[in-house]
Amino acid sequence: MDRADVLMHPVRMRIVNLISRRPQTVQQLSKDLPEVASPTLYHHLNLLVKAGILEVVKTEQKRGTYEKTYALVQGNAVLSKDELAEATHEDLMRFFQVFVGGLIGILPSICSRRKIRTIAIWGCANCRFT
């Protein structure tokens, strides 16, 4: 799986977005991604680490297990000009669809966190029409 395929997944995009704010543990990520089961979260984190997008910056022993803290690898969370130039038309359309889908997915969170009153085309329980 190439870096573009690893990055262009809705759950992995959300993980990268959360970790871009600050390094996080699986437990911290789970609070912001309650709909993602722990085994699935570990699977996505492992793919991101193998692709060189994330790295483990700290490991602590807690309650008989090890807790890892993940951070972005500087500059690896974006696609290069060369990677985009090599992408087919279908790839670019898929990238765009995943990106827009990710934005739609985080809209309720953005609206509730910032108490935004906005027009939501897709409907959002936390948004109000003005």
Side-chain angles (χ1 to χ4, degrees), residues 14-78:
R14 291 178 63 200
I15 291 169
V16 167
N17 181 20
L18 290 167
I19 292 178
S20 70
R21 298 174 192 164
R22 63 180 169 83
Q24 297 198 35
T25 65
V26 171
Q27 187 176 32
Q28 292 167 324
L29 288 167
S30 294
K31 289 179 184 174
D32 289 320
L33 301 168
E35 71 283 359
V36 179
S38 287
T40 303
L41 188 55
Y42 279 106
H43 169 73
H44 289 299
L45 286 167
N46 286 331
L47 287 174
L48 289 162
V49 169
K50 285 180 186 175
I53 297 163
L54 297 181
E55 63 183 343
V56 176
V57 294
K58 185 175 164 187
T59 303
E60 285 187 282
Q61 189 169 3
K62 290 196 174 184
R63 295 180 224 106
T65 188
Y66 289 94
E67 181 179 66
K68 296 177 182 177
T69 301
Y70 297 88
L72 287 180
V73 174
Q74 188 73 22
N76 282 1
V78 294

Side-chain angles (χ1 to χ4, degrees), residues 96-115:
F96 180 73
Q97 289 170 342
V98 170
F99 176 74
V100 170
L103 290 177
I104 293 169
I106 64 171
L107 180 64
S109 171
I110 292 169
C111 292
S112 65
R113 188 173 49 243
R114 298 189 182 167
K115 297 182 176 123

